[in-house]
Amino acid sequence: MPVHSREKKENNHDEMEVDYGENEGSSSEEEETESSSVSEEGDSSEMDDEDCERRRMECLDEMSNLEKQFTDLKDQLYKERLSQVDAKLQEVIAGKAPEYLEPLAALQENMQIRTKVAGIYRELCLESVKNKYECEIQASRQH
């Protein structure tokens, strides 16, 4: 996994400065020769254009290289996250994920309590219906 560190970036800046330093040294030599003739001014501007074009191409190459590295890292991160989600899903399916087991246990306990309450309520309702039935039978015997 290629990663650019600050040291490398600083080295790039140093190289850039060195390039400028070389240009400054050659430009001072060119300035001395420029004073001798006007035709050499055209040559220095052509060199500056060539140098600018070369620097532009270097920067574009570096930028495309960084974009490629960024895309690669982004894809790698996506794959890692996808594998983590798949692993978590497998844990949930297998019933081993702790963050889902605790709420599941609470829900099951709540379900058991509600089932007991519903059973007790059913029994009371049945008893009430039986009592009403017996009451009606007793009332019909008395009349």
Side-chain angles (χ1 to χ4, degrees):
M1 176 172 68
V3 176
H4 284 290
S5 66
R6 287 189 174 181
E7 293 174 8
K8 186 171 182 181
K9 289 179 182 178
E10 289 173 2
N11 289 339
N12 286 342
H13 289 299
D14 291 342
E15 289 173 5
M16 289 179 192
E17 290 174 4
V18 169
D19 289 344
Y20 291 134
E22 291 172 2
N23 289 340
E24 288 174 4
S26 62
S27 65
S28 63
E29 292 172 3
E30 288 174 7
E31 288 174 4
E32 293 173 4
T33 57
E34 283 177 359
S35 63
S36 63
S37 71
V38 176
S39 65
E40 290 181 3
E41 277 185 27
D43 291 340
S44 68
S45 65
E46 286 176 13
M47 288 183 71
D48 288 341
D49 290 342
E50 290 173 3
D51 191 38
C52 287
E53 184 65 23
R54 181 185 59 81
R55 296 287 299 145
R56 186 173 88 62
M57 293 305 293
E58 287 175 2
C59 290
L60 288 174
D61 289 342
E62 181 67 20
M63 185 172 65
S64 65
N65 185 20
L66 290 173
E67 286 176 349
K68 181 184 178 298
Q69 289 178 3
F70 173 76
T71 304
D72 292 344
L73 288 173
K74 184 175 72 169
D75 291 342
Q76 182 180 359
L77 179 63
Y78 174 77
K79 289 176 185 175
E80 287 176 5
R81 292 249 173 108
L82 187 62
S83 66
Q84 289 174 353
V85 168
D86 287 341
K88 188 57 72 175
L89 180 62
Q90 293 305 319
E91 284 183 5
V92 170
I93 291 171
K96 296 180 181 179
E99 62 269 5
Y100 297 106
L101 288 177
E102 293 171 6
L104 179 64
L107 286 173
Q108 287 177 339
E109 182 182 341
N110 195 5
M111 180 187 71
Q112 289 174 353
I113 291 171
R114 287 180 178 223
T115 304
K116 286 180 184 178
V117 168
I120 293 170
Y121 180 72
R122 179 177 171 263
E123 293 296 322
L124 289 174
C125 287
L126 283 175
E127 190 178 325
S128 175
V129 168
K130 284 180 184 177
N131 287 338
K132 285 182 183 179
Y133 174 73
E134 289 174 5
C135 184
E136 289 290 325
I137 290 178
Q138 192 178 18
S140 67
R141 284 185 193 159
Q142 291 177 356
H143 292 293

